């Protein structure tokens, strides 16, 4: 087993020296730090106006985490999407494969290198995260969970990139496919959720009568005739599971929320979580309301109540992501192992 | 003379049940190997044996299946039929055993562009399971063996084609393998480097290694190889056919200051005018074998013709190669 880790370590360090540690990569990190700095400053100033319970820092923190996830998922495919087929093009894959490095050592080493590279972006954002967590007085749990989920999600993207680079023979094509995979998870799930909810609509029958005159204590004493209206309502409750596979939703759903005095989430994660959890609630198709009989309209539940009474789905999304990552890496292994039995059309092994 | 220090085979290697073939021969044993890609039969029927301590040439026209055969020997490609033994092991069943004993220099010159020559060799050594000190010691030896000591700290992207070629050879030698597969090792080398390569290859063979060299430069192989395997259309030529081709008539070049007297003498010893071709200032005459050539030379000198050159017009390998290629039937 130690031979396996030695092999992985050799590939990991080789990959980092050969592929990553270049001037352009340092420039990229510099640009990234610059962007984070701008976002942090602008948000700190802008959110001061909305500050309730001194929660502006929590908003800044969650926004920076989302920003790291966004940039990480934008950069990781470019760095990992040609890890294997790029080597084949450069003529360095086969010379590695004739050594005692096994195919799994090669693939795991390349995956770890891609992951470490993506995590460097997270590391670069740490000073800003520390600032935001101090200002926002964040709980240790929220910080730990958000960092952990972010790190795992970056790993998933790295694994998909490396996996596709082993499955597809042309580097350009595999990089594009990696981007499409990231886009499918980040934006595609959102589109599928929205379209699905709009396509399947249920008709709501609403029978209501409202108060016309009130007594001194504000109770309705005479009401309008019952009026029946029918209207369609989208059924997002049938499609919320699609959103569970969205990395931004997974992140938001997993992080424990903090609320202000009105039961409203203080950070971006909580607001996203409120949105996705609200979509779980099945709309009532028969609404009957008589103000004279039922009393004044109930106030709608707070975000906190909605979140506390609905199902968390982040672990389902996380499991889906981990299965995708494992599947991509296993597929790459099957296509890369030697002695090769099958070669894709028109490809050279060396 | 630089020292090629032996390196212990890295990692533990399990010896399975040894077959008779493994006991009687190291080297390379290829028996009726075939491999196709879809409808293209790259290698249809290849058989040959290369013994330890010898240099064997692998010759064939472009697209004849040389590289496909090399890839199967290098444990990168599965044969569809037949059997291969590298240093006594089957690359399919005992891949790690084969890899720890076999060095492969590909025809594609790839290198890790950002790494120095020395780091490239260190990383390759570590891929064979050597620890860091052993790897760096071995890298130090190899850069001087292949004459890259001055460039040891330069990134490999600045190397010329010939220098990359030598780096590639050094990489194949990292773990001091018993069997060396060299795919076009001489292409891109200047004459000095070729001589150096030839000396190095001969020395490695003298140490008991089995060396298979594929090349287009037939004259080069003529000087280097102990035996030759001809391959065309994915089929290796049998020994009988090679012997027949070697014995078939080939042109000899005869040079004289008096070309017309030479022509007259040639006709007088029984060579027809139609057989004689003029090439610049020389005459080319087809002769079958060394004996016929010796006899002709004696009669020409007796007839008083002044001769300044008398030699085969093409090398041994080139002649056999061309004869085999034109006959189109190697079996």
């Amino acid at each position: 087993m130690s031979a396996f880790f030695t092999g992985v370590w050799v590939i990991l360090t080789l990959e980092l020296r050969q592929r990553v540690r270049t001037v352009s990569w340092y420039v990229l990190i510099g640009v990234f730090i610059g962007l984070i700095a701008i976002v942090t400053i602008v948000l700190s100033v802008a959110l001061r106006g909305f500050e309730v319970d001194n929660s502006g820092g929590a908003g800044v923190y969650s926004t920076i985490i989302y920003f790291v996830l966004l940039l990480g998922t934008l950069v990781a495919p470019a760095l990992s999407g040609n890890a294997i087929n790029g080597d084949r093009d450069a003529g360095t894959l086969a010379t590695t494969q004739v050594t005692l490095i096994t195919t799994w050592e090669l693939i795991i080493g390349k995956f770890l290198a891609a992951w470490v590279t993506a995590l460097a972006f997270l590391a670069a954002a740490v000073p800003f995260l520390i600032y935001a967590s101090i200002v926002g007085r964040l709980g240790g749990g929220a910080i730990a969970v958000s960092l952990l989920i972010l790190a795992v999600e970056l790993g998933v993207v790295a694994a998909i990139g490396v996996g596709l680079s082993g499955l597809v023979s042309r580097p350009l094509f595999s990089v594009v496919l990696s981007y499409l995979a990231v886009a499918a998870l980040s934006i595609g799930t959102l589109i599928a959720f929205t379209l699905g909810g709009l396509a399947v609509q249920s008709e709501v029958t609403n029978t209501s009568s409202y108060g016309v005159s009130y007594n001194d204590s504000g109770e309705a004493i005479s009401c309008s005739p019952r009026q029946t209206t029918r209207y369609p309502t989208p059924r997002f409750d049938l499609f919320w599971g699609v959103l569970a596979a969205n990395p931004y939703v997974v992140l938001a759903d997993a992080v424990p929320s903090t609320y202000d005095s009105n039961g409203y989430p203080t950070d971006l994660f909580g607001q996203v979580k409120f949105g996705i959890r609200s979509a779980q609630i099945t709309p009532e198709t028969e609404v009957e309301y008589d103000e004279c009989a039922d009393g004044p309209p109930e106030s709608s539940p707070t975000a906190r109540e909605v979140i506390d009474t609905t199902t968390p789905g982040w672990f389902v999304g996380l499991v889906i992501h981990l299965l995708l990552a494992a599947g991509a890496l296993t597929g790459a292994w099957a296509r890369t192992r030697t002695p090769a039995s099958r070669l894709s059309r028109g490809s050279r092994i060396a | 003379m630089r020292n090629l220090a032996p390196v212990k085979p890295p990692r533990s290697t399990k010896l399975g049940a040894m077959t008779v073939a493994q006991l009687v021969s190291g080297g390379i044993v290829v028996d009726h190997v075939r491999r196709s890609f879809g409808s293209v039969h790259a290698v249809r029927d290849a058989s040959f044996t290369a013994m330890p301590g010898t240099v064997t040439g692998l010759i064939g026209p472009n697209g004849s299946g040389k590289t496909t055969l090399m890839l199967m020997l290098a444990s990168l490609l599965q044969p569809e039929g037949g059997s291969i033994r590298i240093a006594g092991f089957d690359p399919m069943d005992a891949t790690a055993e084969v890899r720890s004993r076999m060095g492969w220099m590909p025809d594609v010159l790839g290198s890790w562009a950002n790494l120095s020559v020395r780091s490239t060799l260190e990383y390759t050594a570590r891929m064979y399971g050597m620890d860091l000190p052993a790897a760096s010691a071995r890298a130090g030896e190899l850069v001087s063996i292949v004459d890259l000591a001055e460039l040891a700290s330069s990134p490999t992207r600045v190397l010329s084609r010939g220098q990359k070629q030598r780096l590639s050879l050094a990489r194949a030698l990292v773990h001091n393998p018993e069997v060396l597969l060299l795919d076009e090792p001489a292409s891109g080398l200047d004459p000095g480097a070729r001589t150096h390569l030839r000396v190095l290859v001969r020395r490695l063979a003298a140490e008991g290694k089995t060396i298979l060299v594929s090349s287009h430069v037939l004259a080069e192989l003529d000087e280097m190889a102990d035996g030759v395997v001809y391959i065309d259309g994915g089929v290796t030529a049998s020994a009988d056919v090679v012997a027949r081709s070697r014995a078939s008539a080939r042109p000899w070049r005869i040079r004289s200051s008096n070309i017309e007297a030479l022509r007259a003498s040639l006709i007088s010893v029984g060579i027809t005018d139609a057989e004689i071709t003029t090439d610049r200032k020389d005459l080319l005459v087809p002769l079958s074998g060394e004996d016929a050539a010796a006899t002709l030379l004696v009669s020409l000198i007796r007839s008083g013709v002044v001769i300044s050159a008398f030699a085969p017009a093409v090398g041994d390998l080139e002649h056999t190669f061309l004869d085999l290629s034109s006959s189109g039937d190697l079996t």
Side-chain angles (χ1 to χ4, degrees):
Chain A
M1 205 57 190
S2 74
F4 178 81
F5 290 115
T6 311
V8 168
W9 177 251
V10 169
I11 297 294
L12 168 63
T13 51
L14 170 64
E15 198 72 4
L16 290 177
R17 284 186 64 178
Q18 157 63 17
R19 190 177 291 279
V20 177
R21 224 179 56 182
T22 54
V23 175
S24 52
W25 191 77
Y26 288 113
V27 171
L28 203 59
I29 283 277
V31 170
F32 175 77
I33 291 174
L35 280 173
I36 295 272
I38 293 170
V39 168
T40 307
I41 293 164
V42 170
L43 276 177
S44 304
V45 173
L47 288 181
R48 190 167 294 157
F50 297 93
E51 212 163 298
V52 185
D53 307 341
N54 192 21
S55 61
V60 175
Y61 179 87
S62 52
T63 312
I64 294 175
I65 288 279
Y66 264 160
F67 201 63
V68 174
L69 180 59
L70 175 68
L71 288 187
T73 53
L74 286 180
V75 171
L79 292 173
S80 66
N82 65 350
I84 293 171
N85 51 20
D87 270 13
R88 188 180 283 124
D89 273 14
T92 54
L93 184 66
T95 47
T96 305
Q97 290 185 295
V98 295
T99 68
L100 292 174
I101 292 289
T102 64
T103 309
W104 270 123
E105 287 166 9
L106 183 76
I107 286 176
I108 298 297
K110 281 178 177 288
F111 155 65
L112 289 179
W115 193 7
V116 166
T117 311
L119 288 180
F121 285 88
L122 179 55
V126 159
F128 303 98
L129 291 174
I130 290 174
Y131 159 77
S133 57
I134 291 170
V135 171
R137 277 180 263 149
L138 256 76
I143 295 174
V145 171
S146 59
L147 288 180
L148 194 68
I149 298 281
L150 177 56
V152 170
E153 287 297 335
L154 291 177
V156 166
V157 176
I160 289 175
V162 171
L164 285 172
S165 81
L167 284 166
V168 178
S169 50
R170 289 186 51 203
L172 180 63
F173 197 50
S174 62
V175 171
V176 170
L177 269 183
S178 311
Y179 274 114
L180 286 178
V182 170
L185 289 178
S186 306
I187 304 167
T189 50
L190 197 60
I191 294 173
F193 167 77
T194 313
L195 287 183
L198 293 176
V200 181
Q201 301 204 343
S202 294
E203 195 173 62
V204 178
T205 310
N206 186 325
T207 311
S208 317
S209 79
Y210 293 99
V212 179
S213 57
Y214 296 84
N215 63 13
D216 294 343
S217 51
E219 291 159 1
I221 45 173
S222 72
C223 287
S224 61
R226 290 160 84 79
Q227 269 193 325
T228 302
T229 51
R230 294 169 203 281
Y231 54 88
T233 185
R235 295 295 304 275
F236 291 117
D237 58 308
L238 300 175
F239 295 93
W240 70 271
V242 177
L243 268 191
N246 186 306
Y248 295 87
V249 171
V250 169
L251 188 51
D253 206 31
V255 176
S257 294
T258 48
Y259 305 94
D260 61 20
S261 46
N262 300 322
Y264 196 73
T266 53
D267 58 13
L268 199 52
F269 297 148
Q271 288 156 28
V272 172
K273 189 196 275 193
F274 174 47
I276 167 74
R277 294 290 184 85
S278 302
Q280 289 183 16
I281 299 166
T282 310
E284 286 181 63
T285 49
E286 298 287 333
V287 181
E288 288 199 28
Y289 178 65
D290 184 347
E291 196 174 343
C292 293
D294 303 335
E298 292 170 17
S299 62
S300 55
T302 64
R304 180 170 208 153
E305 284 162 353
V306 168
I307 289 171
D308 287 347
T309 54
T310 46
T311 327
W314 60 271
F315 45 81
V316 177
L318 206 56
V319 167
I320 291 173
H321 291 172
L322 292 177
L323 287 177
L324 270 179
L329 291 179
T330 308
W333 169 79
R335 285 298 293 274
T336 313
R337 73 195 158 124
T338 51
S341 58
R342 199 172 63 86
L343 292 183
S344 55
R345 190 181 292 269
S347 82
R348 272 178 71 103
I349 187 165
Chain B
M1 183 68 81
R2 296 181 186 101
N3 181 27
L4 290 171
V7 174
K8 278 187 184 170
R11 299 190 187 180
S12 66
T13 49
K14 281 181 303 203
L15 280 179
M18 291 191 78
T19 65
V20 177
Q22 284 168 347
L23 286 170
V24 294
S25 73
I28 305 170
V29 182
V30 176
D31 189 28
H32 296 293
V33 163
R34 61 190 159 79
R35 170 76 207 203
S36 58
F37 300 102
S39 59
V40 182
H41 295 278
V43 173
R44 284 190 292 155
D45 184 6
S47 302
F48 70 90
T49 305
M51 298 303 289
T54 64
V55 179
T56 306
L58 180 62
I59 293 181
N62 291 327
S64 59
K66 286 195 302 289
T67 295
T68 303
L69 184 55
M70 279 284 197
L71 288 174
M72 286 191 279
L73 297 178
S75 77
L76 291 172
L77 196 60
Q78 279 184 21
E80 282 164 350
S83 79
I84 296 174
R85 289 284 178 283
I86 303 286
F89 293 97
D90 184 343
M92 286 299 298
D93 305 333
T95 313
E97 278 82 357
V98 167
R99 287 177 180 172
S100 64
R101 289 168 176 79
M102 175 268 300
W104 175 61
M105 175 179 168
D107 62 336
V108 182
L109 291 179
S111 64
W112 298 300
N114 295 335
L115 260 59
S116 71
V117 169
R118 189 189 302 276
S119 312
T120 299
L121 295 174
E122 281 172 4
Y123 267 105
T124 310
R126 293 182 64 199
M127 286 176 182
Y128 281 106
M130 289 184 213
D131 59 18
L132 207 52
S136 102
R138 184 65 180 151
E141 286 167 20
L142 283 167
V143 288
S144 59
I145 286 174
V146 299
D147 254 1
L148 286 172
E150 286 159 30
L151 292 160
S153 311
S154 316
T156 65
R157 63 170 176 275
V158 307
L159 298 186
S160 72
R161 191 186 154 79
Q163 289 160 346
K164 275 192 181 156
Q165 200 87 2
R166 282 184 268 155
L167 174 61
S168 181
L169 178 64
R171 201 163 46 187
L173 290 171
V174 154
H175 54 309
N176 197 27
E178 289 171 40
V179 174
L180 262 180
L181 309 170
L182 309 178
D183 205 345
E184 300 285 344
S187 72
L189 295 186
D190 59 49
R194 272 178 199 218
T195 310
H196 188 78
L197 173 72
R198 193 174 66 232
V199 171
L200 178 60
V201 166
R202 287 300 337 171
R203 196 171 85 225
L204 292 167
E207 288 172 14
K209 298 185 192 309
T210 312
I211 303 174
L212 183 68
V213 184
S214 91
S215 180
H216 288 122
V217 189
L218 301 178
E220 183 75 32
L221 282 182
D222 244 344
E223 297 167 348
M224 205 195 289
D226 302 302
V228 167
V229 176
Y230 295 89
I231 183 167
D232 192 14
V235 182
T236 49
S238 65
D240 294 348
V241 176
V242 173
R244 217 183 309 142
S245 284
R246 269 179 191 274
S248 70
R250 77 168 92 173
W252 282 64
R253 178 182 298 276
I254 309 170
R255 184 173 297 166
S256 172
S257 53
N258 187 345
I259 201 164
E260 288 317 313
L262 174 62
R263 189 186 299 272
S265 296
L266 285 170
I267 291 170
S268 74
V269 297
I271 295 168
T272 63
D273 194 35
E275 286 176 310
I276 302 170
T277 47
T278 312
D279 181 39
R280 287 174 306 208
K281 290 176 184 168
D282 308 334
L283 295 184
L284 297 181
V285 178
L287 296 171
S288 43
E290 303 273 334
D291 292 343
T295 313
L296 176 64
L297 183 58
V298 170
S299 15
L300 286 177
I301 290 174
R302 281 199 185 132
S303 70
V305 184
V306 186
I307 292 172
S308 58
F310 189 94
V314 293
D316 231 12
L317 290 178
E318 189 176 355
H319 165 66
T320 316
F321 175 64
L322 292 174
D323 190 74
L324 286 171
S325 302
S326 60
S327 68
D329 182 17
L330 299 183
T331 50

